[in-house]
DNA sequence: TCTGGGGTCCTAGGACCC
DNA sequence: TCTGGGGTCCTAGGACCC
């Protein structure tokens, strides 16, 4: 989608959790703040000046910044702040695509008459977040989502960076490859090992070379991004596709017999099922996640015949997966257990083989009745039946 | 003394269907 | 009855993001 001008905003709160803590406790302002216990969930820019980064373990950040103030996370305070910030987003434009708790894309392309230029809108948005929620936020403005995201990253902290259409490649090409959204440690190493350090160098490669290096999808994707081709529109109302919970067990061998692990797993299942029900979601695929002493991971999954948010049903499936994984657990030593339910709201995807075909269409109504009888208040369409597949919504299971 | 908890998307093979 | 092209679903793993 090529636009006339830079009309996509990427709004990203700066050091979100740490900023909320500094907002709520003035004594933390100006200090290196780390949110989290063992691992830094978030850290203030003062801490970043020492080299501390989100995701770092305690051993590492203590060495880098011994004087850091450590604060326990207050998740409810963050989600409240997030809600308030998204209200500002929603007041700005109806086209808001939330990416995470602290960032979103906004399309302000159609608002010039009503609200002014994208730059004016972005400046007002930053001011409104300051005034109403008292948090610093950086906004990147560009013609594509990808470039807006890069711009906010470069513009941080507490900044506003606009990339006009005629400056795009001049802005993009000198940047290091890690700035490309989707280039992580593995891809970065593959590129740098071949002497490719900048986005411009990526753009100089033939697409086939990138595909050979990184595989079909990433090769084509990166090639497009390096040339600033990103047709993805800002999408409203994207729903979560899985809901999960996990728990690190640590390296100590205590409490790692199968019964204890199962008890932990059931606690996680309970949490997940509650979250699903309060969100009004049902899912079909139960996924067991495991991590082992050597940091390797494994997942085992089972797809249920019908979508559910019923605690027992999910627990039984999870328990079976755990039992099947027992040899692996004993052999490799487990350090993390998790459960997720995926295939959310795909309950309509259940397919039924029916004992008739196109040539026996006269029996359609009988088959329809049969399916309805077997699955209660099922919504079955004639079209679905003609394809010899019945899509239906099973009734919600009682909890 | 390399690690938290929550997610997304893509790949690839096998089974099965039309 | 056999073959083949085209497609979906399921499972497992990998990379990446905040």
């Amino acid at each position: 989608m090529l636009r006339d001008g830079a009309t996509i905003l990427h709004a990203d709160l700066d050091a979100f959790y740490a900023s909320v803590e500094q907002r709520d406790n003035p004594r933390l302002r100006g200090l290196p703040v780390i949110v989290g216990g063992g691992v830094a969930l978030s850290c203030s820019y003062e801490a970043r000046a020492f080299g501390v980064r989100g995701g770092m373990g305690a051993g590492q950040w203590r060495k880098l910044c011994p004087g850091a103030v450590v604060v326990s996370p207050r998740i409810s305070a963050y989600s409240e702040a997030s809600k308030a910030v998204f209200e500002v987003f929603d007041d700005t434009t109806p086209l808001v695509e939330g990416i995470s708790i602290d960032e979103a894309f906004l399309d302000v392309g159609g608002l010039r008459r009503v609200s002014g230029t994208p730059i004016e809108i972005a400046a007002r948005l930053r001011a409104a977040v300051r005034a109403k929620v008292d948090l610093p936020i950086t906004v990147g403005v560009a013609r594509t989502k990808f470039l807006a995201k890069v711009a906010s990253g470069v513009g941080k902290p507490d900044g506003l960076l606009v990339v006009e259409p005629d400056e795009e490649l001049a802005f993009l090409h000198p940047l290091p490859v890690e700035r490309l959204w989707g280039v992580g440690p593995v891809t970065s190493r593959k590129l740098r090992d071949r002497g490719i350090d900048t986005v411009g160098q990526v753009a100089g490669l033939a697409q086939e070379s990138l595909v050979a290096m990184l595989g079909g999808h990433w090769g084509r994707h990166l090639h497009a991004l390096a040339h600033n081709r990103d047709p993805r529109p800002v999408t409203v109302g994207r729903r979560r596709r899985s809901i999960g919970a996990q728990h690190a067990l640590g390296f100590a061998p205590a409490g790692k017999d199968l019964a204890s692990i199962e008890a932990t797993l059931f606690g996680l299942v309970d949490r997940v099922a509650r979250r699903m029900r309060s969100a009004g979601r049902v899912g079909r695929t139960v996924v067991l996640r495991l991590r082992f002493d050597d940091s390797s991971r494994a997942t085992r999954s089972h797809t249920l015949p019908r979508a559910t948010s019923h605690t027992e049903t999910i627990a039984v499936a999870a328990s079976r997966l755990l039992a099947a994984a027992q040899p692996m657990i004993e052999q490799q030593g487990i350090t993390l257990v998790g459960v997720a339910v995926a295939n959310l709201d795909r309950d309509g995807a259940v397919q039924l083989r029916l004992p008739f075909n196109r040539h026996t269409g006269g029996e359609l109504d009988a088959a329809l009745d049969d399916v309805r009888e077997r699955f209660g208040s099922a919504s079955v369409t004639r079209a679905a039946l003609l394809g010899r597949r019945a899509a239906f919504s099973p009734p919600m299971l009682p909890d």
Side-chain angles (χ1 to χ4, degrees), chain A residues 187 206 258 286 297 302:
Chain A
T187 307
L258 203 65
V286 179
R297 297 146 210 268
H302 176 70

Side-chain angles (χ1 to χ4, degrees), chain A residues 83 85-96 106 125:
Chain A
K83 217 177 276 176
V85 171
F86 271 81
E87 272 170 27
V88 175
F89 294 166
D90 290 333
D91 286 344
T92 303
T93 170
L95 295 177
V96 177
L106 293 83
L125 181 142

Side-chain angles (χ1 to χ4, degrees), chain A residues 28-41:
Chain A
L28 297 176
R29 291 178 198 165
L31 299 179
V33 174
I34 290 174
V35 180
V39 164
L41 293 177

Side-chain angles (χ1 to χ4, degrees), chain A residues 12 75 163 169 183 258 264 292 324 351 357 381:
Chain A
D12 197 349
I75 300 297
V163 181
L169 295 184
V183 174
L258 203 65
T264 303
F292 303 104
Q351 290 178 6
N357 60 36
T381 64

Side-chain angles (χ1 to χ4, degrees), chain A residues 217-232:
Chain A
H217 178 264
W218 281 117
R220 286 189 297 273
H221 186 65
L222 235 56
H223 186 256
L225 291 188
H227 291 278
N228 192 34
R229 287 195 304 269
D230 176 21
R232 296 170 297 180

Side-chain angles (χ1 to χ4, degrees), chain A residues 217-394:
Chain A
H217 178 264
W218 281 117
R220 286 189 297 273
H221 186 65
L222 235 56
H223 186 256
L225 291 188
H227 291 278
N228 192 34
R229 287 195 304 269
D230 176 21
R232 296 170 297 180
V234 173
T235 311
V236 182
R238 287 211 324 182
R239 302 189 81 190
R240 199 186 297 280
R241 300 176 73 100
S242 72
I243 292 177
Q246 52 187 39
H247 182 71
L249 301 169
F251 286 89
K256 290 194 179 168
D257 55 294
L258 203 65
S260 303
I261 297 169
E262 192 172 54
T264 303
L265 183 61
F266 285 165
L268 294 169
V269 167
D270 186 51
R271 248 159 68 190
V272 167
R274 279 174 199 278
R275 278 168 54 201
M276 291 177 73
R277 290 193 295 269
S278 65
R281 313 287 303 266
V282 289
R284 283 184 63 216
T285 303
V286 179
V287 184
L288 176 72
R289 278 184 215 295
L290 302 169
R291 202 175 65 205
F292 303 104
D293 286 350
D294 63 353
S295 289
S296 65
R297 297 146 210 268
T299 63
R300 292 292 179 271
S301 66
H302 176 70
T303 299
L304 301 163
R306 293 159 74 175
T308 183
S309 59
H310 185 232
T311 306
E312 288 277 314
T313 308
I314 298 167
V316 167
S319 172
R320 287 199 185 125
L321 291 168
L322 183 68
Q326 188 180 7
M328 200 171 25
I329 290 169
E330 281 170 2
Q331 210 182 329
Q332 302 191 50
I334 186 173
T335 56
L336 175 142
V337 62
V339 67
V341 178
N343 253 324
L344 291 184
D345 301 319
R346 297 289 298 274
D347 43 316
V350 175
Q351 290 178 6
L352 225 57
R353 306 293 161 211
L354 297 170
F356 70 94
N357 60 36
R358 287 179 179 80
H359 309 296
T360 58
E363 295 158 31
L364 214 104
D365 288 323
L368 205 66
D369 285 342
D370 179 48
V371 171
R372 286 197 174 119
E373 196 169 311
R374 282 156 67 188
F375 297 101
S377 59
S379 60
V380 184
T381 64
R382 279 171 170 275
L385 281 174
L386 280 170
R388 296 185 64 201
R389 291 169 187 214
F392 65 90
S393 308

